[in-house]
Amino acid sequence: MKPSFDLIIRNARDMTGKPVSVGIRDGMIAAIEPTVEGADAEYDAQGQTLGSGLHDHHIHLLATAARMESADLTDCRTEDAVIARLRNHSGDTNAWVRAFGYDERVAGLPDRDQLDIWLPQQPVRIQDRTGGYWLLNSAGVARLGEQSLPSCVERDADGRPTGRIWRGDKWLRERIGGSPPSLAALGQTLAQWGVTGVTDAGASNEIAEAKLLTGTIRQRLIIMGTEALPNGEGYGLGAVKLLLDENDLPPVEQTVARVAAARALNRNVAAHCATLGELLFYLEALRQSGGARTGDRIEHGSVIPESLIGDIAAARLTVVTQPNFIHDRGDRYRAQIDKSELNDLYRLGSLLRGGVRVLGGSDAPYGDANPWIALRAALDRRTGDGAVIGAGETVNRSAALTLYQHAPLAVGAPADLILYDWPEETGSLGEVSLTLIGGDIVWQR
């Protein structure tokens, strides 16, 4: 009697080019063989590559969804271009104009008075390219109300809010209200790229954010956040996120206490380490906490000197990096950073060779959410203009794909699968034709 399967994917190939078919039962991989018999339903892969679905290990879902509804300033290189983009996006004078990707090289970090010149009537809030600042005009500041304002709201010498808000995302969202963005379009776009799982990396995530995120996308969901984030239905509980800022680092004892609180909850910790100072601070806090544990994470690892690789490996820390930033920001790095320091940026190959576990994430919306941009950059380390940063940090295709996977292609694993073509030509991006999550087809070209 032939085995019973809900679906068989036939005539696929594995990464080495060998024929492979997969039998799926009850949402799980039940058979992997060159050929699989049985089942009424089948899909002919026509020689495409079969692989595990991709997992974005560091993304900000609500901000990414909101960005899809906002004005994009990333390609605006002059003040006039920014003004034109904002005014083109304006409409109802009572509605916010929301923009992202502003580069401070255009006109510094504008205050409310400067933004009043750009867009005087309609409330506007602009997020800078780093995601750290929100910039509001006077109409926007007025929407904050007359209640007491927290320290994240910058004030001038006279106590007047300047319109600049630093690391105040959650507070700003709560103060101005409004409906959260729909995640449906983002989830569908991710499925088209073969993303079957995501880890939301919001440092302020608690129960309210979990309710907003759960059940809104088809992808499997892990949520990082504060110590107050509970276990819940529909998502996996991730690490306690420590948002470190080199310009305003807390007393190390405070971070040690947060690590201890995470340990008491049997949770790992993950720290934002976009500078060497932040990384060194985190490593010291872990040392004073009794050491890192397997599963503790370095988010970004933007700057890692070669001398620290052995320490990171010995501590069993995972680095969650963004190769896409080499492509997206590499030309800016080359213009602003000393050439001798470029090899320390977003290390990959040297970390793997040094025994460090490495995962990949987009950091969307601050990086491109398309995982194939990052996968390509992991192979060639090329900037948008074609220059190479850290040639010794390249990896092969197998290693690159492993960065963006959550589970191996194996019998007994969830049937989170993709069929794709990824041409061998330099600079090529992969193209996905079929995405399954739990055995269900969520995208089909």
Side-chain angles (χ1 to χ4, degrees):
M1 183 176 179
K2 294 181 179 179
S4 173
F5 301 107
D6 301 320
L7 174 67
I8 293 178
I9 299 177
R10 303 187 188 278
N11 302 322
R13 296 187 180 277
D14 65 17
M15 286 189 58
T16 68
K18 295 179 180 179
V20 64
S21 296
V22 170
I24 298 169
R25 183 188 307 118
D26 297 330
M28 310 295 285
I29 298 174
I32 303 177
E33 302 288 347
T35 59
V36 174
E37 300 299 329
D40 294 327
E42 62 178 60
Y43 186 93
D44 187 349
Q46 299 182 349
Q48 294 181 93
T49 303
L50 176 71
S52 297
L54 304 178
H55 189 105
D56 189 326
H57 294 278
H58 186 118
I59 187 172
H60 302 272
L61 291 169
L62 290 172
T64 303
R67 181 163 289 198
M68 295 174 70
E69 303 171 356
S70 306
D72 184 355
L73 306 180
T74 54
D75 62 348
C76 295
R77 296 291 178 262
T78 67
E79 191 170 341
D80 287 342
V82 170
I83 294 171
R85 187 69 54 85
L86 291 173
R87 293 181 178 178
N88 185 59
H89 205 74
S90 63
D92 180 358
T93 56
N94 290 318
W96 282 94
V97 173
R98 187 185 190 280
F100 69 91
Y102 171 75
D103 191 326
E104 72 280 1
R105 291 178 296 175
V106 172
L109 286 173
D111 61 12
R112 60 191 292 180
D113 298 324
Q114 181 67 33
L115 291 177
D116 288 346
I117 298 172
W118 292 3
L119 201 67
Q121 302 297 329
Q122 197 167 350
V124 61
R125 63 185 193 272
I126 301 173
Q127 192 171 44
D128 80 320
R129 64 178 179 81
T130 71
Y133 274 105
W134 283 102
L135 310 169
L136 279 61
N137 66 354
S138 292
V141 171
R143 294 288 181 96
L144 302 180
E146 298 181 358
Q147 304 173 47
S148 61
L149 300 176
S151 60
C152 64
V153 179
E154 182 184 278
R155 296 174 180 271
D156 62 20
D158 297 323
R160 176 175 178 260
T162 66
R164 302 187 187 104
I165 299 175
W166 172 251
R167 297 291 187 198
D169 297 62
K170 183 175 183 179
W171 172 83
L172 182 61
R173 184 168 61 247
E174 292 173 347
R175 176 61 67 93
I176 65 177
S179 300
S182 171
L183 294 175
L186 173 59
Q188 185 65 9
T189 299
L190 292 173
Q192 292 176 21
W193 290 329
V195 177
T196 59
V198 293
T199 297
D200 190 274
S204 60
N205 284 338
E206 295 183 352
I207 185 64
E209 288 74 20
K211 288 180 177 179
L212 289 175
L213 296 174
T214 304
T216 57
I217 55 176
R218 296 292 300 273
Q219 283 77 15
R220 298 187 190 274
L221 175 64
I222 297 172
I223 305 179
M224 299 197 296
T226 74
E227 297 86 331
L229 178 66
N231 282 298
E233 293 291 330
Y235 65 91
L237 185 60
V240 170
K241 178 74 178 293
L242 309 174
L243 184 57
L244 303 178
D245 174 17
E246 184 173 4
N247 295 320
D248 188 24
L249 289 172
V252 69
E253 296 80 11
Q254 180 177 322
T255 301
V256 170
R258 292 199 65 191
V259 174
R263 301 294 191 232
L265 295 167
N266 197 31
R267 291 176 64 185
N268 288 112
V269 291
H272 170 98
C273 295
T275 69
L276 177 57
E278 292 162 2
L279 175 59
L280 292 173
F281 178 91
Y282 180 46
L283 293 176
E284 175 60 19
L286 288 173
R287 187 191 68 79
Q288 293 190 27
S289 302
R293 294 185 181 179
T294 300
D296 290 344
R297 298 166 40 138
I298 295 170
E299 304 299 315
H300 311 303
S302 309
V303 182
I304 300 180
E306 187 175 10
S307 59
L308 286 180
I309 295 176
D311 295 333
I312 293 170
R316 301 169 295 173
L317 285 161
T318 297
V319 174
V320 184
T321 189
Q322 288 79 43
N324 48 307
F325 283 164
I326 294 297
H327 176 270
D328 298 344
R329 305 179 182 181
D331 295 305
R332 183 187 300 125
Y333 295 150
R334 293 180 69 245
Q336 296 179 338
I337 297 176
D338 189 276
K339 185 177 180 180
S340 64
E341 299 175 356
L342 289 175
N343 287 337
D344 293 341
L345 296 177
Y346 295 98
R347 287 184 178 273
L348 184 50
S350 60
L351 293 177
L352 292 172
R353 291 189 297 271
V356 177
R357 183 175 185 241
V358 185
L359 299 174
S362 65
D363 196 26
Y366 315 113
D368 198 312
N370 185 345
W372 298 97
I373 301 291
L375 289 166
R376 180 180 63 186
L379 267 59
D380 63 22
R381 301 285 294 189
R382 291 191 180 277
T383 70
D385 287 345
V388 175
I389 292 178
E393 300 301 323
T394 61
V395 296
N396 61 32
R397 289 180 171 229
S398 176
L401 285 164
T402 299
L403 299 173
Y404 290 87
Q405 292 172 343
H406 190 66
L409 191 65
V411 172
D416 299 346
L417 305 170
I418 57 173
L419 284 173
Y420 65 94
D421 285 316
W422 190 7
E424 295 286 343
E425 291 80 11
T426 300
S428 295
L429 298 177
E431 185 172 285
V432 176
S433 64
L434 184 73
T435 302
L436 293 88
I437 300 177
D440 295 330
I441 295 175
V442 298
W443 160 252
Q444 183 174 353
R445 187 175 298 280

